[in-house]
Amino acid sequence: MATGTARQGLRSDADIKAIPVRRPWRWVATALVLILLALLLTSMVTNPRYRWEIVARYLLDGSVLNGLLLTLEFTAIAMVIGIALGVLFAVMRGSSNRVLAWTAGGYIWFFRGTPLLVQLIFWFNLSALYPTIELGVPFGPTFATLDANTLITPFIAGVLGLALNEGAYMAEIVRAGIVSVPKGQLEAASSLGMSKSMTMRKIVLPQAMRVIIPPTGNNAIAMLKTSSLISVLAIPELLYSVQIIYGRNFQTIPLLLVASIWYLLATSILTAVQTRIERHFSPDRDPGEPYGVRLRRNLTSRRAHVKEER
Amino acid sequence: MSVLVRAEGVHKHYGRNHVLKGIDLSLEEGQVMCLVGPSGSGKSTFLRCVNHLETINRGRLWVDGELIGYRQSGEALHELNDKEVCGQRARIGMVFQSFNLFPHYTALENVILGPCLVKKESKAAATAHAEELLRRVGLGEKLHSYPNRLSGGQQQRVAIARALAMRPRLMLFDEPTSALDPELVGEVLDVMRGLASDGMTMIVVTHEMAFAREAGDTLVFMDDGVIVESGDPREVLARPRHQRTQAFLSKVL
């Protein structure tokens, strides 16, 4: 029977059932990595200094959850304002009006060129530069005078710092998206009699989105963690709220683990949201098979799959 | 028959590169004009000037009695504002070599976009008209397909339907079959022949001499930014008078 199978395998009109190439070093590398992972896991479980019981106790602590909420709030507000500013400055930068283009360029240059930490502290201390802020006609009468010290609360300083900084980065991302749309699309829109703003909204930006979304998701995830910088303004966001706790009980590591777990969870959720948004802006994509189906097939029929590809 | 397109001494240059060196022509309503000539002769540039995708540097261009891109009051020439330019373009349909369909919209959405946004037609009316146009170009089955699911010939037919949806007075075709696989050229030319026999006024930049011969009322041969000769297509193709025309035709026929 064995010779029969072998002969059948050699018939050129039968499906090819070749023996896959052996790759011994792949197995060595896999074993090595698995051993290292096992070591790490064991130490995490057996090393009592991790103090997992403290991690568990503070994970759902009220002030930690409030901190998490504040972090999410700052991330959301800063990203929304940042994206709006980004679109505005990207369009300005592409304008044929030199003054607008240079102003946008200057904005991007300044806010990307100075550290965010400096910007945050700067906004917090704005009252040293402008003790009062006046509302009125430029070079004309004033309607209201506001005290900068009461106006610029830590919250406002935090939002200003994060959003203006984000706006500079988003402007470059949006600009990259806009220039990625082929010129023919603009000409086609023009030939239909569409105005410039209509073309921007209906033709350019929806297509630019495909280029804009991935790095924006990246930035949102970065913002989630960067927002921990506002702890210098004594805003009790996630990091500062665990700092307050470990300042009291000296359990630094367990509480940093608590913060890290929440950051990781929030990041994972943002990643999933990003995937959803990407799909929304590619209505013409190949639907493909759902991830679950692909995973199951890869796990259960690896060998069959390998042969299929040859 | 009234004159729909008239060009007088049209010049266009990009910096030192003089692309159009005085184009004079006129096209009557319902007629089909084919622009032929070697690449770089300025025929596509002229076509793009007609709907103001390019601005001309000298001369005058009229479509339907309106000066394109400018308003003349006394001795002064005023640039039209964006809204007026859009209004002029909305009455002129254009079909591009590379189709330029909007990839994020379906065939139907591509066609109704102009009427809905620019002419403020109701979505229902625009959709009914678009479906009729897409059926007319043989794509009644592909209403909800995205452009990347369509062949080149199908995409170009959607692009023609998209331009027709604006109910243009004039259709411009910029080498509509040059980007197509040979077996797909016929289906697009068939649609264009149909339009011509329905009385649409058309200017067609093309290398399809057979199409020019059958469907064209006038053939204009351009070389190096000037019109070398023009006339009845059968006449020009059979007995070119100018030596440059003869040289060009001997290469493409």
Side-chain angles (χ1 to χ4, degrees):
Chain A
M1 233 33 243
T3 48
T5 326
R7 236 181 243 145
Q8 221 166 34
L10 291 175
R11 274 174 49 189
S12 62
D13 61 342
D15 286 351
I16 292 176
K17 288 180 187 145
I19 299 152
V21 177
R22 306 280 170 214
R23 302 185 190 279
W25 287 108
R26 200 177 275 180
W27 290 105
V28 173
T30 310
L32 214 65
V33 170
L34 283 178
I35 290 168
L36 288 174
L37 284 177
L39 277 174
L40 182 67
L41 270 176
T42 329
S43 85
M44 281 173 76
V45 175
T46 56
N47 183 348
R49 289 181 206 168
Y50 273 98
R51 304 295 299 268
W52 290 106
E53 76 284 358
I54 293 182
V55 173
R57 195 194 312 157
Y58 282 102
L59 195 59
L60 298 173
D61 182 86
S63 63
V64 172
L65 290 185
N66 279 335
L68 173 67
L69 226 62
L70 215 51
T71 288
L72 293 175
E73 210 174 294
F74 268 97
T75 305
I77 296 174
M79 282 311 292
V80 168
I81 301 177
I83 290 170
L85 287 175
V87 173
L88 176 71
F89 283 107
V91 172
M92 272 172 71
R93 195 146 189 228
S95 164
S96 47
N97 182 333
R98 294 281 175 82
V99 175
L100 293 186
W102 286 346
T103 306
Y107 169 86
I108 294 165
W109 169 76
F110 182 81
F111 283 96
R112 284 202 312 179
T114 52
L116 176 56
L117 191 53
V118 172
Q119 291 171 29
L120 284 168
I121 300 171
F122 177 87
W123 288 116
F124 188 61
N125 293 296
L126 189 69
S127 61
L129 196 57
Y130 298 103
T132 59
I133 293 167
E134 297 176 345
L135 294 179
V137 181
F139 307 109
T142 307
F143 303 131
T145 306
L146 301 164
D147 178 18
N149 249 330
T150 46
L151 184 71
I152 307 289
T153 59
F155 183 88
I156 297 288
V159 166
L160 273 177
L162 294 176
L164 289 174
N165 187 263
E166 185 61 25
Y169 284 95
M170 281 307 303
E172 288 295 272
I173 292 174
V174 174
R175 192 172 65 94
I178 290 175
V179 299
S180 77
V181 177
K183 212 172 135 242
Q185 292 287 310
L186 302 179
E187 293 183 347
S190 296
S191 76
L192 289 173
M194 289 171 68
S195 69
K196 279 177 186 157
S197 73
M198 213 182 262
T199 307
M200 188 50 91
R201 279 181 292 118
K202 296 288 181 178
I203 307 299
V204 177
L205 284 179
Q207 292 185 64
M209 278 304 193
R210 299 179 204 200
V211 173
I212 292 172
I213 297 286
T216 304
N218 227 359
N219 274 21
I221 287 166
M223 175 61 75
L224 191 77
K225 295 163 293 165
T226 311
S227 66
S228 61
L229 278 180
I230 59 174
S231 58
V232 298
L233 308 180
I235 297 169
E237 45 68 67
L238 185 51
L239 178 64
Y240 193 59
S241 57
V242 303
Q243 281 175 329
I244 293 171
I245 299 171
Y246 71 64
R248 265 195 330 259
N249 65 9
F250 305 110
Q251 298 295 339
T252 311
I253 297 289
L255 279 153
L256 286 180
L257 285 173
V258 167
S260 302
I261 289 169
W262 282 118
Y263 279 121
L264 277 172
L265 189 72
T267 309
S268 311
I269 293 170
L270 278 183
T271 309
V273 171
Q274 181 192 338
T275 312
R276 277 292 176 84
I277 299 177
E278 272 177 40
R279 280 200 206 145
H280 173 78
F281 281 104
S282 297
D284 56 340
R285 81 196 184 284
D286 193 345
E289 46 188 350
Y291 181 69
V293 174
R294 198 172 68 210
L295 185 70
R296 201 175 329 127
R297 200 196 55 205
N298 282 352
L299 286 176
T300 53
S301 58
R302 233 191 77 73
R303 300 220 137 215
H305 181 56
V306 167
K307 268 180 221 152
E308 223 172 68
E309 277 180 356
R310 291 194 174 173
Chain B
M1 282 286 177
S2 61
V3 171
L4 194 68
V5 183
R6 194 150 65 90
E8 272 182 21
V10 170
H11 282 252
K12 170 73 189 171
H13 46 78
Y14 301 96
R16 294 216 168 156
N17 185 13
H18 212 144
V19 185
L20 297 178
K21 301 170 183 171
I23 300 292
D24 298 279
L25 55 77
S26 73
L27 177 65
E28 287 182 356
E29 208 175 329
Q31 301 263 294
V32 176
M33 174 184 282
C34 291
L35 290 181
V36 303
S39 57
S41 58
K43 51 198 192 310
S44 286
T45 304
F46 176 73
L47 200 71
R48 294 162 58 83
C49 289
V50 174
N51 72 349
H52 208 50
L53 281 181
E54 307 284 351
T55 49
I56 61 178
N57 299 110
R58 207 191 300 169
R60 298 286 187 274
L61 243 171
W62 291 268
V63 173
D64 208 4
E66 263 184 60
L67 201 55
I68 289 294
Y70 302 95
R71 187 187 326 104
Q72 193 159 8
S73 58
E75 289 298 295
L77 215 51
H78 298 270
E79 271 184 16
L80 293 185
N81 64 30
D82 290 349
K83 201 178 164 193
E84 292 164 326
V85 170
C86 288
Q88 288 189 333
R89 285 185 182 138
R91 294 192 289 275
I92 302 172
M94 179 139 186
V95 175
F96 299 86
Q97 181 177 352
S98 47
F99 329 136
N100 295 345
L101 289 184
F102 305 127
H104 55 306
Y105 291 119
T106 63
L108 185 68
E109 288 166 343
N110 263 279
V111 179
I112 65 171
L113 203 63
C116 285
L117 291 178
V118 179
K119 297 181 86 178
K120 312 287 179 205
E121 281 181 26
S122 75
K123 199 172 175 198
T127 305
H129 186 211
E131 286 178 354
E132 182 203 316
L133 287 169
L134 283 167
R135 270 197 290 275
R136 187 162 139 204
V137 299
L139 291 171
E141 308 291 309
K142 300 282 184 184
L143 299 178
H144 303 292
S145 299
Y146 283 97
N148 65 358
R149 303 269 152 204
L150 301 174
S151 74
Q154 290 171 333
Q155 288 190 51
Q156 193 60 298
R157 286 184 281 151
V158 174
I160 294 173
R162 177 176 70 176
L164 290 175
M166 297 295 290
R167 302 176 201 271
R169 296 288 315 269
L170 169 71
M171 283 286 283
L172 308 174
F173 292 84
D174 189 5
E175 302 199 27
T177 58
S178 297
L180 294 176
D181 290 337
E183 77 272 22
L184 302 178
V185 169
E187 60 192 61
V188 172
L189 292 182
D190 283 344
V191 170
M192 290 168 60
R193 276 190 203 100
L195 274 181
S197 61
D198 286 352
M200 175 61 78
T201 316
M202 295 160 55
I203 303 181
V204 185
V205 172
T206 187
H207 294 295
E208 299 289 336
M209 296 305 155
F211 174 81
R213 187 184 293 121
E214 296 159 34
D217 297 296
T218 328
L219 187 144
V220 173
F221 175 74
M222 282 178 69
D223 191 11
D224 199 24
V226 294
I227 293 176
V228 176
E229 69 176 283
S230 64
D232 182 88
R234 280 161 293 265
E235 191 64 27
V236 176
L237 289 172
R239 282 176 289 282
R241 283 172 314 217
H242 202 282
Q243 188 242 326
R244 275 197 279 183
T245 322
Q246 291 163 4
F248 175 74
L249 290 178
S250 71
K251 277 181 225 155
V252 298
L253 284 180

